[in-house]
Amino acid sequence: MVISAHPLRRTLGAALVVAALASAATACGGSGSEPGPAAPGRGAPAPAAGQQGRGPGSAGALDAYVEKVRGQRAARALAAKKWGLTRPPLDAPAPPKTKPRITTRKGFETDGEGLPPVFTTVPTKEKIVFLTIDDGAEKDPQLLRMMKELRIPYSAFLSDYVVKDDYAYFARMQKSQESGVALHNHTLNHRYLPGLSYSKQKREICGMQDVIEKRFGKRPPLFRPPYGNYNEDTLRAAKSCGVKAVPLWAAEAFPDHMEWREWDRDLHPGDIVLTHFRGKGDWKGTMPDMIRRVMNVITAKGYAVAKLEDYV
């Protein structure tokens, strides 16, 4: 049984203290801040229970925290203007203390049991989406600068045949943000996996696990099959080399348009957004053009980009 998630035509996120924080957040304006325990647009969070008013330095610590939040928001607003975004990205809420249970999307099942779940959306009620970028063909340093300055979390799914000429670029990417950028598996050679035997699929998937571990220090838990095509052998092979889950996508971003999986052509809480490492030679724009487009869409619809690995 072959599961196709995408047409083959393509090649390729105490009351006083609370009042003080709320007042400071209002003074900061609505330009967004670093993702943290505050909900989007609500300013700084209240101290944990039992922490209010501890010692004479608490007011100074509070003032310092508020100033930090104000500075982060101002910097993000300036970055949004620099990179041509209509509005600064919205703040993602704090990640859940317990990750949601991920199950295979209905209609995406194989006959096998106990295999990594295949999904397009993470179960959550928060207005967040997840940005993922596939393959690694385009290595634009402007992308790293843009994502760092805007503090947009994202995950990369790499294929060795296009990254091996510049592993250093992806090592820089991995360390380019304070919370890190996760590098995941998209096979060695981006082949149509259902057309391969189990052993050849295992080589494609497990071989890429080995490459990522050797080059970037960690064996990735997530895998995305090329073109979104897989069968039971694909999932069995992926499980055999440590893959825990198989995120596909609910929407795809290009520099000049969006493509949608769902009938309503819209975003939903927990949707995974796909795009690719591409430049002007492959599509109508650059990587920053694509990020500008997708972030304007995401923000206009009231969504924030969250880090996929915080939820899966």
Side-chain angles (χ1 to χ4, degrees):
M1 175 181 179
V2 175
I3 309 294
S4 177
H6 195 281
L8 291 181
R9 62 181 176 81
R10 291 188 308 98
T11 58
L12 310 154
L16 289 176
V17 178
V18 174
L21 284 165
S23 174
T26 301
C28 291
S31 60
S33 68
E34 174 121 5
R42 294 185 184 174
Q51 297 298 313
Q52 297 91 338
R54 283 192 176 182
S58 60
L62 173 60
D63 290 343
Y65 179 74
V66 170
E67 285 302 315
K68 179 181 178 182
V69 170
R70 182 181 288 117
Q72 289 172 340
R73 289 183 168 181
R76 204 175 199 188
L78 286 173
K81 184 176 182 180
K82 170 184 174 179
W83 293 103
L85 275 65
T86 303
R87 292 173 54 195
L90 298 175
D91 299 339
K97 293 181 180 179
T98 302
K99 293 182 180 182
R101 179 173 176 264
I102 307 293
T103 59
T104 292
R105 175 174 171 154
K106 186 177 180 180
F108 286 58
E109 306 94 339
T110 66
D111 294 331
E113 296 182 359
L115 298 175
V118 182
F119 57 102
T120 62
T121 301
V122 172
T124 180
K125 294 181 180 180
E126 302 281 2
K127 289 197 73 172
I128 57 172
V129 295
F130 306 97
L131 182 60
T132 64
I133 312 180
D134 276 9
D135 64 52
E138 181 75 7
K139 303 164 185 69
D140 188 347
Q142 291 290 89
L143 173 69
L144 305 188
R145 297 189 190 101
M146 184 180 195
M147 302 302 267
K148 179 179 181 179
E149 292 176 13
L150 290 168
R151 298 195 310 279
I152 300 171
Y154 61 105
S155 306
F157 288 78
L158 305 181
S159 292
D160 193 51
Y161 83 109
V162 287
V163 305
K164 63 185 179 182
D165 63 336
D166 195 356
Y167 290 125
Y169 174 83
F170 298 96
R172 292 194 300 273
M173 175 182 290
Q174 186 182 35
K175 299 175 181 178
S176 63
Q177 298 200 23
E178 185 176 348
S179 62
V181 175
L183 308 180
H184 296 294
N185 189 330
H186 198 44
T187 72
L188 288 172
N189 298 295
H190 205 274
R191 299 182 65 184
Y192 173 65
L193 295 179
L196 304 180
S197 65
Y198 172 80
S199 63
K200 289 183 178 180
Q201 291 199 52
K202 185 174 180 179
R203 168 170 168 68
E204 282 289 323
I205 301 167
C206 297
M208 193 60 194
Q209 292 288 89
D210 295 340
V211 168
I212 294 176
E213 182 177 33
K214 178 181 178 180
R215 295 290 178 174
F216 308 112
K218 184 178 179 181
R219 206 165 181 82
L222 305 183
F223 158 70
R224 176 176 284 157
Y227 317 107
N229 296 130
Y230 63 96
N231 58 16
E232 186 176 327
D233 280 349
T234 312
L235 302 183
R236 286 175 52 227
K239 181 180 180 180
S240 76
C241 47
V243 169
K244 304 301 183 184
V246 181
L248 298 183
W249 60 93
E252 184 170 358
F254 297 86
D256 58 344
H257 71 285
M258 296 284 293
E259 292 185 0
W260 310 93
R261 184 184 297 276
E262 308 301 340
W263 65 272
D264 59 357
R265 299 175 57 80
D266 205 354
L267 292 175
H268 312 87
D271 276 356
I272 298 170
V273 179
L274 162 71
T275 190
H276 288 82
F277 290 94
R278 293 287 181 272
K280 286 186 176 180
D282 298 290
W283 61 14
K284 298 177 181 179
T286 64
M287 292 296 292
D289 291 334
M290 181 278 300
I291 294 298
R292 185 179 305 111
R293 173 85 184 196
V294 69
M295 289 309 303
N296 283 341
V297 170
I298 289 170
T299 305
K301 291 178 178 291
Y303 284 82
V305 178
K307 187 174 181 178
L308 181 63
E309 295 75 22
D310 287 340
Y311 289 77
V312 179

